[in-house]
Structures are given as structure tokens and as C-alpha cells.
Amino acid sequence: MRILLSAALLSLSTLPAAAAPVMQPGLYDISLQMVMKGMPIQMPVMTFRHCITAQDVADGKAYASSQNSKDCTISNLKQGGNAVSYDFSCTVEGGRRMVGHSSGTFNATGYDIMMNGRFEPAMEGLTEFNQKMGGRRLGACK
């Protein structure tokens, strides 16, 4: 269950990057920290590496930490200066939905985003979640 939930939340990190400072292509270290209200034990920080290509930047996939975003929609995307915000809605296991709002900052070599959302209906008694997501450029893709 936690793995599927984490995979769904990872897919949310695919954002269009329109009219923003251009992120540099390269290998990024991505970290995710989820906090769910009402859960006695919190999930550990997940980290992984993702190669962002020049085409990803051109296509607006520069914030992608997962290419599997077919079950998620992003709306009300706003970018200005170094700030980004958007609303999201994702279908997860059992036909449940995760809906919420994300906001954060970004620059040419990284980003920090906080996601705040809720499950509809509640998932095993859990209704709300927060997830901190960050990406840092390490260098060229290998």
C-alpha cells in the first residue's frame, strides 16, 4: 500500500515548466519526504536519481521525477520568478483520489516543492498528507 501510494505521489512531480528560468539538463538527485496525519510511523525519505535531458526541459518535463503521470492531472499551474504552484488530482488504488495543492521554488539547478493534499475517500483512516520534494543537479547524465 505504501509503495503504491509513494508511486502515485511520485507521478505528481511531473510539472510543465513554461515561462520559467531554464533548468540545466543533467543528473538530479531527487528526495521525497511524506508526512501523513494520523499515521503512527512516518515513511522514510526516499531518494533516487533522475536524468533530465534538454528535451525534458524543452517539453516542460524538467521537474519530472517519474514519467508515469497518466493518472494525474495538474491544473492552475503558475510560475513567476523562481516560484511555482499548481493543483493536482490523481487516481490511486481502489478508485480513490488524491487532490491538493503544491507550491515551491526552483532555479537552474534544483527545486523544492511542498505538496498538501487529501485522500477521497480516506485511505485506511488517513485523510491528509504532506510531501516535501526536492531535486538537486549533480552533474552530467551518465
Side-chain angles (χ1 to χ4, degrees):
M1 162 87 73
R2 290 180 185 162
I3 293 172
L4 291 174
L5 177 60
S6 294
L9 289 173
L10 286 174
S11 68
L12 288 175
S13 57
T14 301
L15 302 176
V22 177
M23 284 186 69
Q24 296 177 10
L27 183 63
Y28 280 73
D29 188 46
I30 311 291
S31 65
L32 302 166
Q33 173 68 57
M34 186 175 356
V35 178
M36 292 191 290
K37 294 179 181 179
M39 188 171 187
I41 300 173
Q42 296 304 319
M43 296 178 72
V45 174
M46 295 175 49
T47 61
F48 58 96
R49 292 185 175 171
H50 181 73
C51 183
I52 295 175
T53 67
Q55 189 64 47
D56 292 333
V57 174
D59 290 345
K61 297 178 182 175
Y63 296 116
S65 62
S66 170
Q67 299 301 320
N68 185 17
S69 62
K70 65 181 184 221
D71 295 330
C72 294
T73 58
I74 302 295
S75 60
N76 299 320
L77 175 67
K78 295 182 177 105
Q79 290 184 294
N82 70 338
V84 61
S85 67
Y86 59 95
D87 296 323
F88 62 86
S89 177
C90 295
T91 302
V92 293
E93 68 180 62
R96 289 179 177 88
R97 290 182 343 129
M98 295 185 323
V99 297
H101 182 77
S102 297
S103 62
T105 59
F106 65 97
N107 59 44
T109 60
Y111 59 88
D112 289 297
I113 296 173
M114 178 59 79
M115 301 169 68
N116 301 295
R118 65 186 183 281
F119 299 105
E120 295 178 346
M123 182 180 282
E124 295 185 14
L126 301 173
T127 57
E128 298 179 5
F129 68 89
N130 298 310
Q131 178 172 291
K132 182 179 180 182
M133 178 173 46
R136 300 288 171 263
R137 187 176 189 277
L138 300 173
C141 293
K142 297 177 182 183

